Amino acid sequence: MAIGPKDVVRAFVDALNRQDWDRLGELITPDFTYTIQSYDLPGAGDPMDGETLVKVLAQMLALFDSTGPRIEITRLVGEAHWVVAEAVGSGFFRDGSRYDNRYANVYEVSGDRVRTVREYMDTQHTAQSFAAVTSGRGD
């Protein structure tokens, strides 16, 4: 049974939430790119391939407690092979401080895999949250 683009996006987010890197690898195309749409965050604006994304995520997720942050999709809108997902991300850093953010991600789905992700978020909140945690002064 063929799955639709929205189902592919749901599976992709589920794999991220479970930190299931093998499943994530199955859900991306060989030419996959992930780009954080920002001018202000280090490394943002530069497309990452799947291998780089997993490395970056592993470093970021190491700052969170054992439950890690969770992404909850609140709305999916799709047309043909494009899907836009509104979502909230929340969790706790190891120091106990909370992370909450809002996202709007644009996914390009090819068959039963994700080819492109463009992530839009509150970059100021992200920068402040991660700076507080990495400098040892969680708020």
Side-chain angles (χ1 to χ4, degrees):
M1 178 178 175
I3 62 172
K6 289 181 184 178
D7 295 319
V8 173
V9 169
R10 285 184 191 101
F12 181 90
V13 171
D14 179 62
L16 285 175
N17 280 336
R18 293 184 294 109
Q19 299 179 34
D20 185 344
W21 310 128
D22 292 333
R23 178 65 178 139
L24 192 70
E26 295 169 358
L27 289 166
I28 61 175
T29 63
D31 61 343
F32 170 83
T33 60
Y34 192 101
T35 308
I36 297 172
Q37 301 295 318
S38 169
Y39 297 107
D40 301 331
L41 294 176
D46 297 325
M48 292 180 266
D49 61 21
E51 184 177 336
T52 303
L53 175 64
V54 169
K55 287 179 186 175
V56 169
L57 285 174
Q59 292 172 349
M60 289 175 52
L61 295 174
L63 299 172
F64 286 85
D65 70 11
S66 61
T67 63
R70 305 269 313 155
I71 302 296
E72 178 188 347
I73 296 172
T74 57
R75 179 171 292 122
L76 283 178
V77 178
E79 183 173 331
H81 59 276
W82 290 97
V83 176
V84 176
E86 286 186 338
V88 293
S90 61
F92 290 92
F93 289 103
R94 290 188 181 276
D95 70 356
S97 60
R98 187 156 178 81
Y99 176 79
D100 285 302
N101 210 338
R102 291 174 284 197
Y103 300 87
N105 292 341
V106 179
Y107 296 84
E108 178 186 16
V109 177
S110 177
D112 60 355
R113 294 181 175 198
V114 175
R115 181 169 185 234
T116 306
V117 179
R118 291 193 299 267
E119 180 176 292
Y120 301 84
M121 68 177 128
D122 182 340
T123 56
Q124 181 179 13
H125 171 72
T126 299
Q128 290 172 342
S129 296
F130 280 84
V133 171
T134 57
S135 71
R137 57 169 190 77
D139 297 328

